[in-house]
Amino acid sequence: MNISRRDWLKKSSLTAGMAFLGGIGTYSSLTAEEKSKFNPRPLEPLIRLGSNENPYGPSQEMREAMQKGFDLSCRYPWAYNQPLIDMIAAKEGVPSDHIVLTAGSTEGLKIAGLTYALNGGEIISGLPTFLSLMTYAEIWGASINWVPLDQEMNFDLPEIEKRISSKTKLVFLCNPNNPTGKLLPAQQVMDFCESVSNKTMIFSDEAYYDYIEDPNYPSMVELVKKGKNVIVSKTLSKIYGLAGIRIGYLIAKPEIAADLSGRIVANLNIMAIEAAKAALSDDEFYQFSLQKNIEARKSIETTLDHLGLEYIPSQANFVFFDAKQDVVQLAEKMREKGVIIGRPFPPFNEWCRISTGTLEEVSFFNKAITELYT
């Protein structure tokens, strides 16, 4: 498909407002052609809307690539990494020595936390956010300087910068943030990262970057290209639907990338390498996933509007909303109705993160939550 991400998002924003009845989305099934390409799964006994997964993956092309890779399963994988590294480098616009392959972006987060905050080094981050880097670093003796989100649930960048000291080894940002789905203003975050990278290491977790609806929104890879002390993590778990295959990567200038590479624990497996190569070439599935995510998110938001529940406009594949009750208790009620929702994110213990699923899964969620609140 020769359609740009910009054009697809523009088209999707016009078509996503489908017919709704009583706040519950009503959708037709996938077309026969979509079913043949995107392998829809039947509804499960428990619908999983708590882990920000892409339920449409992997695509047929990815499956076929993994099957063709079976004969290589007897080989150690590191001999087959370079073609994938070269593909990622071309995608990100950097030389290949800037790329570190990881078993999901979580491994990249953990090794960065270990590398820069071992034995008492300080990490500064907002809260709530995705915790893997910080919790792993704490195991190895790091101290975490938590900065509450500001009143608009954004990272409080001025306060974070104010807290930087000689003991600060790394500043962590997740943008769009998990669990809020909020996106920092482009120029503000770019200026912040450029300034702070002169004082300490910046880690920019961009797991949800593909879902950003502004096609001109910059990745902090632009600062890596300038030789700044910035590490960017990305993943194929989300938009490419490969969460179970475990493949992600880091982008950093060569000396940083080499240091991080030396701490890799889990080499990629052959199936992950072959799936990733196919994924990066599968623009049709990429665009399909973007559209279905927008449609599912709009469906959730319309139901929340119908129920009078406040939510944060999201730039990711989930919605963070004010449930007006303890999320642990809400999770129990929703599980009884067959839906798994997100975990609590202190201090917002009455806010719920709900992932987008297939349109059928989201319709099931809409019905279940409407029954609870009416």
Side-chain angles (χ1 to χ4, degrees):
M1 292 182 69
N2 294 318
I3 182 170
S4 71
R5 179 168 176 263
R6 180 200 299 266
D7 291 338
W8 190 278
L9 288 167
K10 183 177 179 181
K11 175 178 179 290
S12 298
S13 67
L14 295 174
T15 60
M18 298 184 174
F20 290 90
L21 177 63
I24 301 174
T26 56
Y27 298 96
S28 61
S29 299
L30 298 179
T31 66
E33 183 180 9
E34 288 174 334
K35 288 178 180 178
S36 67
K37 291 181 179 179
F38 304 124
N39 305 291
R41 296 171 295 100
L43 286 177
E44 298 173 286
L46 271 175
I47 294 174
R48 298 168 54 94
L49 299 180
S51 300
N52 303 343
E53 298 156 328
N54 177 356
Y56 292 103
S59 70
Q60 190 63 36
E61 284 78 3
M62 298 175 211
R63 292 170 188 238
E64 291 174 358
M66 286 188 279
Q67 289 171 354
K68 291 177 181 177
F70 282 171
D71 288 344
L72 297 177
S73 297
C74 61
R75 304 300 182 192
Y76 288 112
W78 50 79
Y80 300 89
N81 284 345
Q82 195 59 48
L84 175 58
I85 291 173
D86 292 342
M87 288 181 72
I88 293 171
K91 174 180 181 290
E92 300 295 344
V94 297
S96 295
D97 60 1
H98 287 53
I99 304 300
V100 181
L101 297 180
T102 59
S105 63
T106 298
E107 184 185 31
L109 292 161
K110 289 181 175 180
I111 64 172
L114 175 64
T115 300
Y116 290 97
L118 186 65
N119 298 326
E122 180 189 72
I123 297 172
I124 303 177
S125 179
L127 187 71
T129 191
F130 190 60
L131 299 176
S132 285
L133 187 150
M134 282 71 70
T135 54
Y136 192 73
E138 280 186 301
I139 295 172
W140 295 95
S143 63
I144 313 300
N145 190 338
W146 295 111
V147 178
L149 301 184
D150 65 20
Q151 292 183 345
E152 296 180 352
M153 288 196 184
N154 285 321
F155 278 92
D156 190 339
L157 298 184
E159 180 62 26
I160 289 174
E161 189 161 11
K162 187 187 303 181
R163 294 194 190 185
I164 294 172
S165 69
S166 58
K167 65 181 180 180
T168 305
K169 303 302 180 184
L170 183 142
V171 170
F172 175 82
L173 297 179
C174 183
N175 191 38
N177 191 24
N178 177 14
T180 65
K182 291 211 70 175
L183 186 65
L184 288 161
Q187 194 59 55
Q188 182 185 15
V189 71
M190 182 66 77
D191 292 345
F192 170 85
C193 289
E194 186 154 19
S195 172
V196 170
S197 68
N198 295 322
K199 306 172 187 177
T200 190
M201 186 64 63
I202 284 280
F203 192 104
S204 180
D205 180 354
E206 299 182 6
Y208 301 95
Y209 181 81
D210 296 283
Y211 296 105
I212 297 172
E213 293 187 32
D214 178 1
N216 297 314
Y217 192 88
S219 166
M220 294 307 104
V221 173
E222 296 308 310
L223 295 180
V224 174
K225 294 175 185 178
K226 293 182 178 181
K228 298 295 183 179
N229 290 320
V230 175
I231 303 167
V232 177
S233 69
K234 297 196 177 183
T235 182
L236 278 73
S237 294
K238 306 303 180 184
I239 195 71
Y240 294 104
L242 291 173
I245 301 299
R246 308 312 299 136
I247 179 162
Y249 56 94
L250 303 175
I251 311 107
K253 60 185 181 181
E255 58 269 34
I256 296 173
D259 196 18
L260 293 168
S261 293
R263 296 188 184 273
I264 289 292
V265 176
N267 283 294
L268 297 186
N269 62 73
I270 288 289
M271 298 302 103
I273 293 169
E274 296 306 312
K277 286 159 59 179
L280 293 173
S281 300
D282 194 350
D283 188 59
E284 185 174 11
F285 178 74
Y286 180 92
Q287 304 295 354
F288 170 84
S289 294
L290 283 176
Q291 178 179 333
K292 292 305 176 186
N293 180 68
I294 289 174
E295 292 174 0
R297 199 180 69 222
K298 294 293 185 183
S299 173
I300 292 169
E301 291 172 349
T302 299
T303 297
L304 296 175
D305 285 336
H306 171 73
L307 297 174
L309 297 175
E310 179 187 0
Y311 59 88
I312 298 176
S314 175
Q315 292 286 296
N317 64 340
F318 53 85
V319 179
F320 199 48
F321 70 93
D322 186 356
K324 301 186 183 301
Q325 60 178 290
D326 183 82
V327 170
V328 173
Q329 296 176 6
L330 177 62
E332 292 174 358
K333 297 172 187 175
M334 291 297 291
R335 190 178 184 91
E336 290 174 359
K337 290 183 172 292
V339 180
I340 297 173
I341 63 173
R343 63 189 182 278
F345 291 90
F348 300 110
N349 294 316
E350 292 191 351
W351 282 72
C352 175
R353 189 194 68 189
I354 188 73
S355 307
T356 58
T358 66
L359 300 183
E360 290 78 12
E361 289 170 340
V362 167
S363 184
F364 193 97
F365 162 79
N366 289 340
K367 181 176 183 296
I369 198 165
T370 298
E371 289 173 352
L372 284 179
Y373 280 85
T374 55

